[in-house]
Amino acid sequence: MKKVAVTGADGFIGSHLVETLLTRGCDVRALSQYNSFNNWGWLEDIPGEKSLDVWSGDVRDPSFCRKFIEDCDTVFHLAALIAIPYSYIAPDSYIDTNVKGTLNICQAVKEHGGQKLLVTSTSEVYGTARYVPIDEKHPKQPQSPYSASKIGADAIALSFYNAFGLDVTIVRPFNTYGPRQSARAIIPTIISQIAAGQREIKVGDLTPTRDFNYVTDTCAGFVDIAMTQDTAGREINIATGREVSMEELFSTIARLMKADVKWVRDPERIRPSGSEVFRLLGDNSLITSLTGWKPKVSLEEGLEKTIRWFTDRENLRLYKTDIYNR
């Protein structure tokens, strides 16, 4: 990888991936969603470097996508709408961005030829585990419009591998967390409310379990897959192989923050009964066998790093802890 393109670079994982690629000596063309404020999202926090070229645009525009990936040898496609609750009320937006956006990137790579494409999936496509650990052969279960849109995006990408021989890999991180994550996610929700001095912490259902990746481990997985030859046409999990319940997670964060708090269930944060994914525990044997990747950051270590970032006043002020953002 010499010159790489990253869509969704202004987001949580995307901005960390950009940092990782820059430290690996790559020239990075980073896509920030176009807006009239000329704001680059989390890329604003990355010091200016000659190796970083930020473009403003939108993956929903096929002409822009063709121009954006031109002259790049590797394309990391992370741009997506990701909030599950918002997908219940705005599903069209998820089809436009996640499915059609992925189609536009695949078409652009097909037209240019010779590029390696990594399409970002999500463990949500598996739905509640039918067996654990969840390997890449686990059935897909669209339990929300969001997960349905990602299943569709994955299928579009793989169809370009089967029909046109596109060098495309589906990268499927399990639940990633760390600095800069949206407050709609469980870990920032808990930490930011505690940091803001609240004693009753509003949460949703705390019975589900998740397999949590610290963001630097997720980004290392992306890079390792990109640097490996035998990945075209594959779906590859990035998972730790460990699960924790949301209630246990709450207790751990409260202990690490030395906070005397209790949780209260907020009905607004409860998913429809058929939509909740109750168990996710990933099998990482494929990525380990292909690349040698293994998670390096333990859950407690990652939570401590995340807590330090969120409790910095300059960072905490960016979050509206008293408002639930769907």
Side-chain angles (χ1 to χ4, degrees):
M1 296 188 299
K2 293 182 180 179
K3 190 170 185 178
V4 303
V6 182
T7 72
D10 51 346
F12 162 49
I13 299 177
S15 62
H16 283 278
L17 180 59
V18 167
E19 287 182 316
T20 300
L21 292 166
L22 290 171
T23 63
R24 302 287 184 102
C26 297
D27 289 328
V28 180
R29 183 178 295 164
L31 173 57
S32 171
Q33 185 173 25
Y34 178 85
N35 62 85
S36 61
F37 302 103
N38 197 26
N39 183 281
W40 294 346
W42 291 119
L43 292 175
E44 298 281 354
D45 284 6
I46 297 177
E49 293 195 27
K50 291 185 292 185
S51 299
L52 176 60
D53 180 20
V54 180
W55 290 34
S56 293
D58 198 316
V59 295
R60 293 174 295 181
D61 188 287
S63 298
F64 172 81
C65 290
R66 287 193 294 271
K67 186 66 176 175
F68 177 69
I69 69 164
E70 202 171 44
D71 303 325
C72 294
D73 54 64
T74 307
V75 179
F76 294 88
H77 177 47
L78 285 78
L81 283 177
I82 59 173
I84 294 168
Y86 187 56
S87 78
Y88 301 138
I89 59 176
D92 281 16
S93 302
Y94 286 72
I95 299 302
D96 288 344
T97 300
N98 298 353
V99 180
K100 294 179 70 175
T102 299
L103 173 62
N104 291 338
I105 291 294
C106 289
Q107 287 275 32
V109 172
K110 175 178 174 286
E111 290 179 22
H112 284 294
Q115 295 162 314
K116 183 163 189 170
L117 171 61
L118 290 87
V119 170
T120 308
S121 183
T122 169
S123 56
E124 284 284 324
V125 303
Y126 294 126
T128 296
R130 294 189 185 183
Y131 60 82
V132 294
I134 299 170
D135 59 21
E136 291 80 1
K137 295 179 181 178
H138 189 284
K140 309 299 191 299
Q141 301 178 105
Q143 291 182 221
S144 65
Y146 163 68
S147 63
S149 73
K150 295 298 283 183
I151 291 170
D154 295 351
I156 285 288
L158 290 173
S159 77
F160 272 68
Y161 167 76
N162 291 319
F164 310 115
L166 203 72
D167 188 354
V168 58
T169 305
I170 306 300
V171 181
R172 187 165 293 131
F174 278 63
N175 294 75
T176 302
Y177 71 100
R180 305 182 201 143
Q181 188 172 20
S182 164
R184 58 158 191 83
I186 183 66
I187 289 175
T189 286
I190 297 169
I191 294 174
S192 61
Q193 288 182 74
I194 293 176
Q198 298 176 27
R199 294 299 182 186
E200 292 190 343
I201 310 304
K202 294 179 180 179
V203 294
D205 190 347
L206 294 187
T207 59
T209 68
R210 294 292 185 266
D211 183 327
F212 285 103
N213 280 306
Y214 188 65
V215 65
T216 55
D217 282 335
T218 295
C219 292
F222 270 97
V223 174
D224 288 351
I225 292 168
M227 297 293 290
T228 300
Q229 296 300 315
D230 188 25
T231 65
R234 292 179 181 263
E235 303 171 64
I236 303 177
N237 290 339
I238 304 179
T240 66
R242 301 184 300 267
E243 66 181 327
V244 60
S245 73
M246 300 300 97
E247 187 166 10
E248 181 183 350
L249 183 71
F250 179 90
S251 299
T252 301
I253 292 171
R255 172 173 57 80
L256 292 174
M257 296 183 74
K258 298 180 173 60
D260 182 16
V261 293
K262 66 178 182 178
W263 59 268
V264 293
R265 183 168 293 184
D266 180 2
E268 192 178 8
R269 301 171 193 246
I270 303 295
R271 296 196 202 182
S273 59
S275 182
E276 180 61 82
V277 174
F278 285 100
R279 191 178 189 190
L280 288 174
L281 171 60
D283 184 334
N284 62 18
S285 57
L286 180 57
I287 187 174
T288 299
S289 64
L290 288 172
T291 72
W293 176 91
K294 289 183 179 179
K296 295 181 178 179
V297 181
S298 69
L299 181 60
E300 286 218 5
E301 181 186 355
L303 287 175
E304 288 172 346
K305 291 174 182 283
T306 306
I307 289 166
R308 281 197 296 272
W309 188 88
F310 272 92
T311 51
D312 182 304
R313 287 194 175 194
E314 288 300 304
N315 297 327
L316 184 62
R317 70 180 179 83
L318 301 173
Y319 290 80
K320 300 177 179 68
T321 57
D322 57 337
I323 298 175
Y324 175 54
N325 182 14
R326 288 180 171 273

